[in-house]
Amino acid sequence: MHFETRCVHVGVNKDSAYNSATTPIYPTSTFYWDSLDSNKGYDYARSANPTRSALEENIAKLEGGIDCRATSTGMSAITTTMHFFKPGDHIIAGHDIYGGTFRLFHDIYSQNGLTFSFVDMGDIENVRNAVTPNTKGIWIETPSNPLLRVVDIAAVVGVARDAGAMTIADNTFMSPYLQRPFEHGVDVVIHSTTKYLNGHSDVVGGCVVTRDDERAERISYIVNALGLACSPFDAWLVLRGIKTLGPRMQAHERSAMAVARMLEEHPRVGTVYYPGLESHPQHELARRQQDGFGAMLSFEVEGGRDVAERVLTNTKLFLMAESLGGVESLVSYPDTMSHASMTLEARRAAGITENTIRVSIGIEHPDDLIADMKQALES
Ligand SMILES: *Cc1c(COP(=O)(O)O)cnc(C)c1O
């Protein structure tokens, strides 16, 4: 089956009672047993729920994994994977990863005895040089946030294998439609399903996808033991969202490319960060590693914070809001919004300035988005 067909069909047929075309929501905490040693495969909803299982089967197939656990948020998916490690273990991550991930690693797990190196993973030598005898994991996020730096997944996997470390990829920005880290040798893939997988800005969720039995079992155990699974209602919404993932990603990308080209020509705009532009330093790598360029982009507006604020508050179609990956376009200011959980020092080191504006392109018509962004830039 082709990708778009899998989006629509895998996992969804779970109604032998009435043959409904869509997956029923099973809002139950418990399931009754038929005898002392038999039930219908479910006993308690923290461990498993049929609606959630449908979503998990679907996402596992889209990523090319063997198993998936759907969690309450993207952060709980990341939390789950941190339980692969024990005190003393060292993990390498990008210096420009998602702000909430940075906070979790830097503030919480550092207190619990894990150690981290945050490096510019755009250059593979930095990753290699950060390896220590205790390195047990390498965290991959590509393209990065908010400056859309592309990390060479296969090269990082090579360094990890030499070091005997596992690799975990946060594939939120691309979705499996545009990038499948397992194909490049990654061990575990996570998502914030809040973003493109659900795609409609009406749920927060996450998932962890595995490709081998041992890690699949471990993830399942941790999600149950920690109580991180998502509700059947949320699972149902994400499963519904995924059915249109392919056509949505195409529409997102078409508009993103058009807006990026307009911004690149605009006199009030400095650097435009979008891997689809030939001017992007890793355009060739993105072309090789991804099936498209996605719909996240950032740019530097000339003039500092006041000018940036004017642009951000004068857009009419673009909502000024955090998050990304929904059908509606959003603009945000990483310095005080998505990346406020990083220190000022860490933000500047990652290249986020007071001129940086981040954009999540929705699926509106590109001409309307261009007209709106232009009038905001010229206001
Ligand atoms: C949003 C996001 C997360 C966190 O997900 P939540 O659903 O908000 O908990 C993690 N990684 C990336 C890349 C994200 O964009």
Side-chain angles (χ1 to χ4, degrees), residues 44-281:
Y44 188 61
R46 168 156 45 72
S47 317
N49 175 287
T51 315
R52 197 160 72 231
S53 300
L55 172 66
E56 292 169 340
E57 190 180 333
N58 183 286
I59 297 177
K61 261 292 192 298
L62 299 185
E63 279 291 359
I66 62 160
D67 199 29
C68 169
R69 284 293 166 271
T71 57
S72 57
T73 61
M75 292 318 302
S76 60
I78 297 168
T79 298
T80 303
T81 63
M82 284 300 108
H83 288 263
F84 278 123
F85 307 110
K86 56 182 193 323
D89 287 354
H90 172 248
I91 295 158
I92 301 168
H95 70 330
D96 51 359
I97 51 174
Y98 178 72
T101 309
F102 180 81
R103 177 175 53 196
L104 184 74
F105 291 176
H106 186 267
D107 297 0
I108 313 257
Y109 280 104
S110 295
Q111 299 285 313
N112 291 350
L114 301 184
T115 60
F116 294 88
S117 294
F118 298 99
V119 303
D120 179 351
M121 288 180 48
D123 181 351
I124 192 66
E125 282 315 307
N126 295 334
V127 182
R128 209 185 307 277
N129 291 335
V131 170
T132 75
N134 294 328
T135 302
K136 292 292 180 327
I138 305 186
W139 186 265
I140 302 169
E141 195 182 308
T142 180
S144 75
N145 180 14
L147 298 185
L148 287 304
R149 293 191 178 96
V150 182
V151 176
D152 187 333
I153 302 175
V156 173
V157 166
V159 172
R161 288 201 176 144
D162 289 346
M166 69 180 290
T167 44
I168 306 169
D170 180 339
N171 202 27
T172 301
F173 264 39
M174 285 283 98
S175 90
Y177 185 69
L178 297 179
Q179 175 171 278
R180 288 162 305 281
F182 286 146
E183 292 173 3
H184 306 284
V186 162
D187 298 309
V188 175
V189 171
I190 73 103
H191 278 276
S192 167
T193 57
T194 311
K195 316 297 168 51
Y196 290 105
L197 286 176
N198 180 58
H200 294 74
S201 310
D202 49 14
V203 68
V204 289
C207 67
V208 185
V209 195
T210 44
R211 62 186 298 183
D212 64 277
D213 291 329
E214 196 180 322
R215 290 200 182 94
E217 229 167 83
R218 184 78 189 139
I219 290 295
S220 178
Y221 178 83
I222 292 164
V223 168
N224 182 47
L226 271 63
L228 300 177
C230 73
S231 80
F233 294 97
D234 288 352
W236 187 86
L237 276 170
V238 178
L239 187 61
R240 184 177 69 161
I242 287 176
K243 288 175 189 173
T244 56
L245 179 63
R248 272 192 288 112
M249 292 314 289
Q250 287 182 12
H252 277 296
E253 190 171 327
R254 160 179 170 235
S255 290
M257 190 58 103
V259 172
R261 292 220 186 279
M262 179 280 287
L263 288 170
E264 206 175 29
E265 298 296 313
H266 201 283
R268 297 213 171 152
V269 173
T271 311
V272 180
Y273 304 96
Y274 182 62
L277 294 174
E278 293 78 5
S279 60
H280 189 283

